[in-house]
């Protein structure tokens, strides 16, 4: 794939908008919840495409979407703790796998979950954002937001009377909103853990095929070869009653037959619903059913070969070709989960749940194809460490089973909330869905939890580390937002500051970045008091992330004239599937062009300070005189009155903040045009 020459680093942190209501209370976590559906450009699923295009997309999904699912036969049977299995045992296991693929794969994901897209995007986070856009579940305030922008006005407030009781409960209960946020974060962390474990178990299981024709090859050499291949990849990119507890424990391995099914939903934004359904119904599902049937038939005749149930039943004449295909399939499966991890990290960064990292768009036509060098290096270290430390495929399989079952269960819970709150599905059907899949997946979860001491703790350790990072970053961002909202500068206060005889208006065009919409950042007051100046033309700029995948190009830049001479507001808005492609002089030119049109077409209702042409002339003169970008660099001052929790979390946030990438380079601003204003926020 062609990599774009410019590496877009996602900007969040100090440039995330927060709307406040009239009383000044924060009305959202760190992103907008009142988003007009019309603002998102049409997703792929809403486009009218022909049958031929659908078939082409369906073919592409075979590797990208179903790479993890089709390689599951490599490690399902070897991951089961079977002891002297009989024919009835194998038939029972196959029966469980058949109904698991049929119910979870066909009914839950391919039929129901694919309809719960968020403007074309899928995955557990898309379900959470879909709920955010329909009910106010911000953890800092349950009050609805108000906005002066007609572009962003919605009729959510009008729909509040028709909300379900459950939706109203979430709006009233801070605890329930925090629990829901925790579930969404856990789902993201588990999916990232999937990106670590899938390459490890897929490649290790494929490489284990060398030992069949060459028994002298030790397990250590297989692990070393698997680690080498992974490094290259990253560098390139009802029988339970009879068997009792043992039958229940076997579910820990059986659940792996459905691994990768979440990718059907998570990768929805890269393809469309029809193409994924065509590929699954007519290729993946029947192939898996027949493959597991063949494996089971072989194992019935050779019951002690379950530890290597894939390679043993391959005829010797086609052994090496199938070995090569299995290895390539494992690499494709690894790459698909690695790419999905990049996308998840990107969405987390965009919505300010994760520290800023560098994100490169590897395709000029597909926004979903992204790459992050920092994340790539970290994944490589974790994957290689998992193989070298936990080389036993059963331990990694146990860890993988925990990830698969937890992600499925979280999707079931969030999808049930969507059915109740948004779809208004009849209670009988909702209860049927929830009871069926929650009980089924709950049994799987209970089975894999018995493997905590045998490798099952790995995903929890990974998720715990990621959750601490995400919560520490999120907590610090919220504390900063609270301070800025409390100490915001309004126009009256700005006018008072500028009326000081010692403050001068200096030539030039200044982009002053502010976080909040109904007011200006307190850094502005700090800047004017110390610099005793403000540029002749000052544009207070806010980057606004919307809970929609894409924002239409003509709605990307929104400008507004303020009541003071030469003072304007600019809002740059885009969704979590957008890339911020405004760079350097192009950014300045696009903003000034939009502002020029706004001055001509939208005259002030109040007394004009100057004529439109004179105002445009001042804008052009300021642009020629020089452009500067003023950006705040804030830190917390932790006083003695702060609690121990604040001391720990804010100190951890400062460590993250000092080591993450700056937000301003995302706009391609030249270093010589940047000014950073430092300020201490009282914690």
């Amino acid at each position: 794939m062609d990599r774009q020459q410019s590496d877009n680093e996602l900007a969040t942190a100090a440039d995330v908008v927060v709307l406040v209501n009239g009383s000044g209370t924060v009305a959202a976590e760190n992103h907008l919840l009142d988003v007009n559906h019309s603002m998102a450009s049409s997703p792929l699923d809403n486009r009218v495409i022909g049958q031929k295009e659908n078939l082409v997309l369906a073919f592409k999904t075979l590797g990208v979407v179903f790479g993890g699912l089709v390689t599951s036969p490599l490690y399902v049977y070897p991951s089961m703790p079977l002891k002297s299995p009989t024919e009835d045992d194998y038939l029972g296991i196959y029966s469980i796998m058949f109904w698991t693929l049929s119910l979870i794969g066909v009914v839950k994901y391919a039929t129901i979950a694919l309809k719960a897209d968020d403007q074309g995007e899928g995955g557990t986070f898309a379900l959470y954002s879909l709920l955010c856009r329909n009910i106010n579940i911000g953890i800092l305030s349950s009050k609805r937001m108000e906005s002066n922008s007609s572009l962003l006005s919605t009729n959510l407030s009008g729909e509040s009377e028709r909300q379900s009781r459950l939706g109203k409960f979430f709006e009233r209960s801070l605890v329930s909103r925090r629990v829901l946020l925790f579930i969404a974060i856990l789902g993201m962390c588990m999916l990232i853990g999937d990106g670590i474990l899938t390459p490890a178990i897929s490649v290790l299981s494929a490489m284990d095929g060398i030992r069949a024709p060459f028994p002298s090859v030790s397990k250590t050499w297989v692990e070393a070869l698997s680690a080498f291949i992974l490094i290259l990849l990253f560098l390139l990119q009802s029988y339970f009653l009879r068997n009792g507890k043992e039958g229940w424990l076997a579910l820990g391995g059986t659940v792996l037959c459905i691994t990768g099914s979440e990718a059907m939903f998570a990768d929805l934004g890269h393809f469309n619903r029809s193409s994924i359904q065509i590929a699954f119904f007519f290729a993946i599902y029947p192939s898996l059913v027949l493959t597991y049937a063949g494996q089971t038939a072989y194992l019935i005749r050779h019951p002690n070969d379950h530890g290597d149930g894939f390679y043993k039943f391959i005829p010797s004449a086609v052994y090496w070709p199938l070995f090569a295909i299995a290895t390539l399939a494992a690499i494709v499966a690894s790459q698909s989960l690695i790419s999905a991890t990049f996308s998840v990290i990107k969405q987390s960064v965009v919505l300010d749940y994760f520290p800023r990292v560098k994100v490169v768009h590897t395709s000029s036509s597909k926004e979903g194809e992204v790459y992050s060098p920092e994340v790539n290096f970290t994944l490589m270290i974790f994957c290689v460490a998992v193989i070298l430390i936990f080389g036993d495929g059963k331990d990694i399989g146990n860890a993988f089973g925990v990830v698969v079952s937890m992600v499925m269960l979280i999707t079931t819970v969030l999808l049930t909330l969507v059915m109740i709150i948004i779809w208004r599905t009849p209670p009988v059907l909702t209860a049927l869905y929830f009871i069926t899949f929650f009980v089924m997946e709950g049994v799987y979860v209970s089975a894999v939890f018995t493997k905590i001491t045998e490798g099952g703790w790995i995903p929890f350790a990974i998720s715990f580390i990621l959750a601490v990072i995400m919560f520490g970053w999120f907590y610090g961002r919220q504390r900063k937002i609270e301070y800025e909202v409390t100490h915001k500068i309004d126009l009256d206060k700005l006018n008072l500051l500028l009326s000081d005889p010692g403050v001068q208006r200096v030539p030039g065009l200044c982009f002053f970045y502010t976080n909040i919409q109904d007011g200006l950042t307190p850094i502005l007051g700090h800047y004017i008091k110390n610099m005793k100046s403000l540029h002749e033309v000052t544009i207070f700029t806010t980057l606004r992330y919307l809970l929609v995948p894409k924002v239409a190009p003509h709605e990307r830049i929104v400008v507004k004239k303020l009541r003071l001479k030469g003072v304007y507001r600019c809002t740059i808005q885009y969704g979590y599937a957008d890339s911020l492609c405004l760079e350097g002089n192009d950014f300045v030119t696009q903003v000034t062009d939009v502002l020029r049109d706004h001055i001509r077409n939208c005259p002030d209702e109040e007394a004009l300070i100057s004529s439109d042409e004179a105002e445009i002339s001042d804008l052009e003169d300021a642009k020629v005189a020089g452009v500067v970008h003023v950006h705040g660099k804030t830190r917390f001052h932790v006083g003695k009155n702060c609690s121990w929790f604040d001391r720990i979390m804010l100190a951890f946030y400062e460590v993250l903040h000092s080591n993450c990438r700056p937000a301003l380079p995302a706009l391609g601003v030249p270093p010589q045009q940047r000014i950073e204003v430092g300020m201490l926020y009282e914690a």
Side-chain angles (χ1 to χ4, degrees), residues 145-171:
M145 291 174 294
E146 298 175 1
S147 173
N148 294 327
S149 173
S150 60
L151 180 65
L152 295 175
S153 62
T154 69
N155 54 4
L156 282 181
S157 58
E159 296 178 353
S160 60
E161 296 180 356
R162 295 184 286 113
Q163 282 186 3
S164 65
R165 293 181 180 179
L166 185 60
K168 294 179 180 179
F169 168 76
F170 274 104
E171 290 193 341

Side-chain angles (χ1 to χ4, degrees), residues 416 418-431:
T416 301
V418 170
M419 295 172 73
I420 296 174
I421 297 174
I422 302 175
W423 291 353
R424 307 295 177 85
T425 305
V428 174
L429 296 180
T430 303

Side-chain angles (χ1 to χ4, degrees), residues 225-294:
L225 181 59
S226 301
F228 176 74
I229 291 177
L230 281 176
I231 292 175
L232 289 180
L233 174 63
F234 280 103
L235 293 178
L236 298 174
Q237 250 283 271
S238 73
Y239 294 94
F240 293 127
L241 292 178
R242 178 169 50 84
N243 288 330
K245 183 179 179 181
E246 291 184 2
W248 172 59
L249 293 177
L251 286 178
T254 310
V255 70
L256 297 181
C257 73
I258 200 65
T259 180
S261 58
E262 179 70 21
M264 274 194 282
F265 189 31
D267 289 335
L268 181 58
H270 298 169
F271 299 94
N272 69 359
R273 184 184 305 132
S274 299
S275 62
I276 293 176
Q277 290 175 331
I278 290 172
F280 183 76
F281 289 143
F282 295 101
I284 303 301
Y285 175 71
S287 298
L288 285 175
V289 170
L290 293 176
T291 299
Y292 285 121

Side-chain angles (χ1 to χ4, degrees), residues 67 70 72 107 113 158 181 189 305 416 454 561 584 627 646 682:
V70 298
S72 59
V107 178
L181 176 62
C189 292
D305 287 349
T416 301
E454 302 174 19
K561 294 168 62 175
V627 179
D646 276 349
E682 193 73 31

Side-chain angles (χ1 to χ4, degrees), residues 31-205:
H31 49 264
L32 294 181
L33 305 182
D34 60 336
V35 179
N36 196 324
H37 288 233
S38 65
M39 293 191 59
S41 58
S42 298
L44 185 60
D45 213 345
N46 292 334
R47 300 174 191 164
V48 178
I49 61 176
Q51 184 177 6
K52 182 179 179 180
E53 289 79 2
N54 256 333
L55 293 177
V56 172
L57 285 175
F59 175 76
K60 293 180 179 180
T61 65
L62 296 179
V64 178
V65 176
F66 299 107
L69 190 58
V70 298
T71 56
S72 59
L74 288 171
Y75 45 78
V76 170
Y77 272 112
S79 299
M80 297 182 188
L82 301 177
K83 298 178 181 179
S84 301
T86 64
E87 178 179 348
D88 289 340
D89 294 334
Y90 282 122
L91 289 176
I93 291 172
Y94 177 70
S95 176
I96 294 171
M97 290 192 291
F98 174 81
W99 288 110
T100 298
L101 286 169
S102 300
L103 291 177
I104 297 180
V106 175
V107 178
K108 176 184 173 181
Y109 281 106
T111 304
I112 300 177
L114 288 180
K115 296 181 180 179
D117 64 290
D118 180 28
Q119 297 292 316
E121 294 287 332
T124 54
F125 186 77
L127 291 174
Y128 178 71
S129 67
L130 189 62
L131 291 169
C132 287
R133 292 200 295 107
N134 286 269
I135 57 174
N136 182 18
I137 54 176
I139 67 170
L140 294 181
S141 174
S142 62
K143 296 183 179 180
R144 294 225 173 251
M145 291 174 294
E146 298 175 1
S147 173
N148 294 327
S149 173
S150 60
L151 180 65
L152 295 175
S153 62
T154 69
N155 54 4
L156 282 181
S157 58
E159 296 178 353
S160 60
E161 296 180 356
R162 295 184 286 113
Q163 282 186 3
S164 65
R165 293 181 180 179
L166 185 60
K168 294 179 180 179
F169 168 76
F170 274 104
E171 290 193 341
R172 291 192 301 265
S173 173
L174 178 62
V175 174
S176 65
R177 297 199 301 274
R178 285 176 171 170
V179 170
L180 189 59
L181 176 62
F182 170 78
I183 291 175
I185 291 179
L186 180 62
M188 287 190 288
C189 292
M190 284 290 178
L191 190 58
I192 295 172
D194 197 1
I196 295 173
L197 295 173
T198 294
I201 193 171
S202 298
V203 175
L204 183 63
S205 300

Side-chain angles (χ1 to χ4, degrees), residues 351-402:
L351 292 172
D352 219 5
Y353 285 96
F354 201 82
R356 293 182 298 273
V357 294
K358 185 176 184 178
V359 176
V360 181
H361 289 265
T362 57
S363 173
S364 58
S365 59
K366 295 181 180 179
E367 296 291 346
E369 295 182 4
V370 294
Y371 165 78
S372 172
E374 292 102 337
V375 175
N376 184 69
F377 180 78
T378 304
L379 285 177
M380 182 184 72
I381 297 297
F382 273 105
C383 284
V384 173
V386 166
I387 283 183
L388 296 182
I389 298 175
F390 310 96
D392 189 353
K394 290 186 177 180
D395 284 347
I396 301 178
N398 292 335
F400 202 25
V402 171

